[in-house]
Amino acid sequence: MTVTLRYFGSLVDITQKKEELFSVDENNVSVSFLKNKIETAYEELKSTNYSIAVNQKLSNLDNKINDQDVIAFLPPFAGG
């Protein structure tokens, strides 16, 4: 399974990327599983507050991820 990861705001500074393709050998993958994999690759994310969206919808950690999904890592934001 391959998904597209997109990083925004301060998370771009941490990952040094705005976007990357990420492949997982497993088919039954949750947002939590992916979060752990990404935090292993980018250790600084472990101490950073951020939200995760799957296909432009904020997601909880139990949601499943499908092949070709777009996963966005979003820093805290404020509205006005």
Side-chain angles (χ1 to χ4, degrees):
M1 165 175 29
T2 301
V3 295
T4 301
L5 307 180
R6 293 187 178 154
Y7 306 101
F8 294 89
S10 60
L11 304 181
V12 172
D13 296 332
I14 293 170
T15 63
Q16 297 296 302
K17 298 176 183 181
K18 289 186 177 184
E19 182 175 300
E20 67 180 312
L21 292 178
F22 188 79
S23 295
V24 181
D25 292 334
E26 301 171 35
N27 287 324
N28 191 15
V29 175
S30 67
V31 171
S32 178
F33 177 87
L34 179 64
K35 180 179 187 279
N36 288 335
K37 288 285 190 187
I38 298 307
E39 287 181 351
T40 298
Y42 304 106
E43 292 272 331
E44 193 176 340
L45 287 178
K46 289 180 181 178
S47 61
T48 303
N49 187 21
Y50 61 92
S51 299
I52 299 174
V54 178
N55 298 324
Q56 299 182 348
K57 293 181 183 175
L58 286 177
S59 178
N60 66 47
L61 295 177
D62 295 330
N63 285 3
K64 297 299 178 197
I65 295 172
N66 299 304
D67 189 42
Q68 303 300 313
D69 278 351
V70 176
I71 316 300
F73 291 80
L74 307 167
F77 50 90

